[in-house]
Amino acid sequence: MLMPKRTKYRKQFRGTMKGKASRGNTISYGEYGIVALEPCWIRSNQIEAARVAMTRYVKRNGKVWIKIFPNKPVTKKPLEVRMGKGKGSVEYWVAVVKPGRVLFEIAGVSEEVAREALRLATHKLPCKCRIASRAELEGGDNNEG
């Protein structure tokens, strides 16, 4: 599972997910990618499940890039615990995703194989996504939401 090696603080506030992605919104390494269409938190195990689905489908040919990293801790208190007594312990890690953010990229395989691998990966993710090519995003419609 992905998580930071160390952080300055153990626990964080929840924060907001307003606006569109201003960084990470272009396909920079591969030829095809998954673009988020709505804001969400993506857990580390969901990122891993999507990666496994893609690499299994392409039979380890080509190259896959993961463009997001879960660096936000989410805390949870145990079941049946009374209110108060401080914040809960860190339960899992999430990547904060805004609309327009490129989540995964793929290259080195044919277009139909790449699109099918990315389609399988989108089923593992908690937000609506679309599959885009490098040419589509360079056309200027990357922040479609």
Side-chain angles (χ1 to χ4, degrees), residues 36-51:
L37 296 180
E38 58 187 16
C40 65
W41 281 353
I42 300 184
R43 292 170 142 196
S44 54
N45 58 345
Q46 292 167 334
I47 296 170
E48 178 66 11
R51 183 196 66 79

PDB file of all heavy atoms in Angstrom, residues 36-51:
ATOM      1  N   ALA A  36      -9.953  12.475 -13.870  1.00  0.00           N
ATOM      2  CA  ALA A  36     -11.068  12.558 -12.923  1.00  0.00           C
ATOM      3  C   ALA A  36     -12.049  13.633 -13.378  1.00  0.00           C
ATOM      4  O   ALA A  36     -11.642  14.690 -13.851  1.00  0.00           O
ATOM      5  CB  ALA A  36     -10.547  12.873 -11.532  1.00  0.00           C
ATOM      6  N   LEU A  37     -13.347  13.356 -13.228  1.00  0.00           N
ATOM      7  CA  LEU A  37     -14.382  14.310 -13.609  1.00  0.00           C
ATOM      8  C   LEU A  37     -15.079  14.929 -12.407  1.00  0.00           C
ATOM      9  O   LEU A  37     -15.866  15.846 -12.556  1.00  0.00           O
ATOM     10  CB  LEU A  37     -15.433  13.634 -14.501  1.00  0.00           C
ATOM     11  CG  LEU A  37     -14.934  13.135 -15.853  1.00  0.00           C
ATOM     12  CD1 LEU A  37     -16.067  12.484 -16.618  1.00  0.00           C
ATOM     13  CD2 LEU A  37     -14.332  14.270 -16.661  1.00  0.00           C
ATOM     14  N   GLU A  38     -14.804  14.414 -11.202  1.00  0.00           N
ATOM     15  CA  GLU A  38     -15.405  14.973  -9.993  1.00  0.00           C
ATOM     16  C   GLU A  38     -14.412  14.886  -8.837  1.00  0.00           C
ATOM     17  O   GLU A  38     -13.488  14.075  -8.883  1.00  0.00           O
ATOM     18  CB  GLU A  38     -16.711  14.243  -9.650  1.00  0.00           C
ATOM     19  CG  GLU A  38     -16.554  12.751  -9.451  1.00  0.00           C
ATOM     20  CD  GLU A  38     -17.889  12.032  -9.277  1.00  0.00           C
ATOM     21  OE1 GLU A  38     -18.929  12.624  -9.605  1.00  0.00           O
ATOM     22  OE2 GLU A  38     -17.870  10.888  -8.802  1.00  0.00           O
ATOM     23  N   PRO A  39     -14.591  15.737  -7.815  1.00  0.00           N
ATOM     24  CA  PRO A  39     -13.650  15.700  -6.686  1.00  0.00           C
ATOM     25  C   PRO A  39     -13.907  14.488  -5.804  1.00  0.00           C
ATOM     26  O   PRO A  39     -15.057  14.074  -5.615  1.00  0.00           O
ATOM     27  CB  PRO A  39     -13.957  17.002  -5.938  1.00  0.00           C
ATOM     28  CG  PRO A  39     -15.362  17.317  -6.287  1.00  0.00           C
ATOM     29  CD  PRO A  39     -15.599  16.783  -7.665  1.00  0.00           C
ATOM     30  N   CYS A  40     -12.836  13.900  -5.272  1.00  0.00           N
ATOM     31  CA  CYS A  40     -12.985  12.758  -4.374  1.00  0.00           C
ATOM     32  C   CYS A  40     -11.675  12.491  -3.643  1.00  0.00           C
ATOM     33  O   CYS A  40     -10.635  13.055  -3.965  1.00  0.00           O
ATOM     34  CB  CYS A  40     -13.421  11.511  -5.139  1.00  0.00           C
ATOM     35  SG  CYS A  40     -12.198  10.929  -6.303  1.00  0.00           S
ATOM     36  N   TRP A  41     -11.774  11.624  -2.652  1.00  0.00           N
ATOM     37  CA  TRP A  41     -10.599  11.057  -1.996  1.00  0.00           C
ATOM     38  C   TRP A  41     -10.413   9.660  -2.557  1.00  0.00           C
ATOM     39  O   TRP A  41     -11.348   8.856  -2.572  1.00  0.00           O
ATOM     40  CB  TRP A  41     -10.830  10.933  -0.496  1.00  0.00           C
ATOM     41  CG  TRP A  41     -10.679  12.194   0.275  1.00  0.00           C
ATOM     42  CD1 TRP A  41     -10.245  13.403  -0.174  1.00  0.00           C
ATOM     43  CD2 TRP A  41     -10.971  12.363   1.670  1.00  0.00           C
ATOM     44  NE1 TRP A  41     -10.247  14.307   0.838  1.00  0.00           N
ATOM     45  CE2 TRP A  41     -10.683  13.704   1.992  1.00  0.00           C
ATOM     46  CE3 TRP A  41     -11.440  11.521   2.664  1.00  0.00           C
ATOM     47  CZ2 TRP A  41     -10.851  14.210   3.277  1.00  0.00           C
ATOM     48  CZ3 TRP A  41     -11.606  12.024   3.949  1.00  0.00           C
ATOM     49  CH2 TRP A  41     -11.310  13.357   4.243  1.00  0.00           C
ATOM     50  N   ILE A  42      -9.210   9.346  -3.003  1.00  0.00           N
ATOM     51  CA  ILE A  42      -8.920   7.996  -3.497  1.00  0.00           C
ATOM     52  C   ILE A  42      -7.974   7.335  -2.507  1.00  0.00           C
ATOM     53  O   ILE A  42      -6.875   7.836  -2.261  1.00  0.00           O
ATOM     54  CB  ILE A  42      -8.307   8.034  -4.909  1.00  0.00           C
ATOM     55  CG1 ILE A  42      -9.278   8.693  -5.877  1.00  0.00           C
ATOM     56  CG2 ILE A  42      -7.981   6.619  -5.372  1.00  0.00           C
ATOM     57  CD1 ILE A  42      -8.824   8.704  -7.313  1.00  0.00           C
ATOM     58  N   ARG A  43      -8.418   6.226  -1.943  1.00  0.00           N
ATOM     59  CA  ARG A  43      -7.625   5.512  -0.942  1.00  0.00           C
ATOM     60  C   ARG A  43      -6.447   4.796  -1.588  1.00  0.00           C
ATOM     61  O   ARG A  43      -6.462   4.482  -2.781  1.00  0.00           O
ATOM     62  CB  ARG A  43      -8.474   4.469  -0.234  1.00  0.00           C
ATOM     63  CG  ARG A  43      -9.555   5.012   0.635  1.00  0.00           C
ATOM     64  CD  ARG A  43     -10.453   3.878   1.058  1.00  0.00           C
ATOM     65  NE  ARG A  43     -10.869   4.055   2.427  1.00  0.00           N
ATOM     66  CZ  ARG A  43     -11.410   3.101   3.177  1.00  0.00           C
ATOM     67  NH1 ARG A  43     -11.598   1.896   2.689  1.00  0.00           N
ATOM     68  NH2 ARG A  43     -11.765   3.333   4.410  1.00  0.00           N
ATOM     69  N   SER A  44      -5.453   4.482  -0.757  1.00  0.00           N
ATOM     70  CA  SER A  44      -4.254   3.812  -1.266  1.00  0.00           C
ATOM     71  C   SER A  44      -4.579   2.433  -1.825  1.00  0.00           C
ATOM     72  O   SER A  44      -4.006   2.009  -2.834  1.00  0.00           O
ATOM     73  CB  SER A  44      -3.196   3.707  -0.166  1.00  0.00           C
ATOM     74  OG  SER A  44      -3.738   3.083   0.974  1.00  0.00           O
ATOM     75  N   ASN A  45      -5.537   1.710  -1.211  1.00  0.00           N
ATOM     76  CA  ASN A  45      -5.858   0.371  -1.727  1.00  0.00           C
ATOM     77  C   ASN A  45      -6.638   0.438  -3.035  1.00  0.00           C
ATOM     78  O   ASN A  45      -6.545  -0.470  -3.858  1.00  0.00           O
ATOM     79  CB  ASN A  45      -6.603  -0.455  -0.676  1.00  0.00           C
ATOM     80  CG  ASN A  45      -7.878   0.182  -0.193  1.00  0.00           C
ATOM     81  OD1 ASN A  45      -8.101   1.373  -0.422  1.00  0.00           O
ATOM     82  ND2 ASN A  45      -8.715  -0.582   0.473  1.00  0.00           N
ATOM     83  N   GLN A  46      -7.375   1.535  -3.273  1.00  0.00           N
ATOM     84  CA  GLN A  46      -8.064   1.698  -4.553  1.00  0.00           C
ATOM     85  C   GLN A  46      -7.063   1.996  -5.665  1.00  0.00           C
ATOM     86  O   GLN A  46      -7.211   1.505  -6.797  1.00  0.00           O
ATOM     87  CB  GLN A  46      -9.104   2.814  -4.448  1.00  0.00           C
ATOM     88  CG  GLN A  46     -10.260   2.456  -3.544  1.00  0.00           C
ATOM     89  CD  GLN A  46     -11.110   3.653  -3.187  1.00  0.00           C
ATOM     90  OE1 GLN A  46     -10.652   4.785  -3.187  1.00  0.00           O
ATOM     91  NE2 GLN A  46     -12.368   3.401  -2.865  1.00  0.00           N
ATOM     92  N   ILE A  47      -6.036   2.789  -5.352  1.00  0.00           N
ATOM     93  CA  ILE A  47      -4.975   3.062  -6.327  1.00  0.00           C
ATOM     94  C   ILE A  47      -4.274   1.766  -6.708  1.00  0.00           C
ATOM     95  O   ILE A  47      -4.039   1.480  -7.885  1.00  0.00           O
ATOM     96  CB  ILE A  47      -3.963   4.078  -5.760  1.00  0.00           C
ATOM     97  CG1 ILE A  47      -4.629   5.434  -5.521  1.00  0.00           C
ATOM     98  CG2 ILE A  47      -2.759   4.226  -6.678  1.00  0.00           C
ATOM     99  CD1 ILE A  47      -3.776   6.421  -4.749  1.00  0.00           C
ATOM    100  N   GLU A  48      -3.983   0.942  -5.705  1.00  0.00           N
ATOM    101  CA  GLU A  48      -3.303  -0.328  -5.947  1.00  0.00           C
ATOM    102  C   GLU A  48      -4.174  -1.273  -6.758  1.00  0.00           C
ATOM    103  O   GLU A  48      -3.694  -1.953  -7.674  1.00  0.00           O
ATOM    104  CB  GLU A  48      -2.923  -0.956  -4.604  1.00  0.00           C
ATOM    105  CG  GLU A  48      -2.247  -2.301  -4.693  1.00  0.00           C
ATOM    106  CD  GLU A  48      -0.873  -2.271  -5.352  1.00  0.00           C
ATOM    107  OE1 GLU A  48      -0.329  -1.171  -5.567  1.00  0.00           O
ATOM    108  OE2 GLU A  48      -0.345  -3.352  -5.663  1.00  0.00           O
ATOM    109  N   ALA A  49      -5.475  -1.325  -6.467  1.00  0.00           N
ATOM    110  CA  ALA A  49      -6.390  -2.207  -7.206  1.00  0.00           C
ATOM    111  C   ALA A  49      -6.469  -1.796  -8.671  1.00  0.00           C
ATOM    112  O   ALA A  49      -6.470  -2.652  -9.568  1.00  0.00           O
ATOM    113  CB  ALA A  49      -7.777  -2.160  -6.575  1.00  0.00           C
ATOM    114  N   ALA A  50      -6.510  -0.483  -8.933  1.00  0.00           N
ATOM    115  CA  ALA A  50      -6.546  -0.001 -10.313  1.00  0.00           C
ATOM    116  C   ALA A  50      -5.238  -0.339 -11.040  1.00  0.00           C
ATOM    117  O   ALA A  50      -5.257  -0.753 -12.203  1.00  0.00           O
ATOM    118  CB  ALA A  50      -6.787   1.501 -10.332  1.00  0.00           C
ATOM    119  N   ARG A  51      -4.120  -0.178 -10.352  1.00  0.00           N
ATOM    120  CA  ARG A  51      -2.819  -0.490 -10.959  1.00  0.00           C
ATOM    121  C   ARG A  51      -2.732  -1.976 -11.315  1.00  0.00           C
ATOM    122  O   ARG A  51      -2.304  -2.340 -12.418  1.00  0.00           O
ATOM    123  CB  ARG A  51      -1.686  -0.124  -9.986  1.00  0.00           C
ATOM    124  CG  ARG A  51      -0.292  -0.339 -10.561  1.00  0.00           C
ATOM    125  CD  ARG A  51       0.768  -0.349  -9.487  1.00  0.00           C
ATOM    126  NE  ARG A  51       0.663  -1.474  -8.585  1.00  0.00           N
ATOM    127  CZ  ARG A  51       1.094  -2.713  -8.855  1.00  0.00           C
ATOM    128  NH1 ARG A  51       1.652  -2.984 -10.023  1.00  0.00           N
ATOM    129  NH2 ARG A  51       0.968  -3.676  -7.963  1.00  0.00           N
TER     130      ARG A  51
END
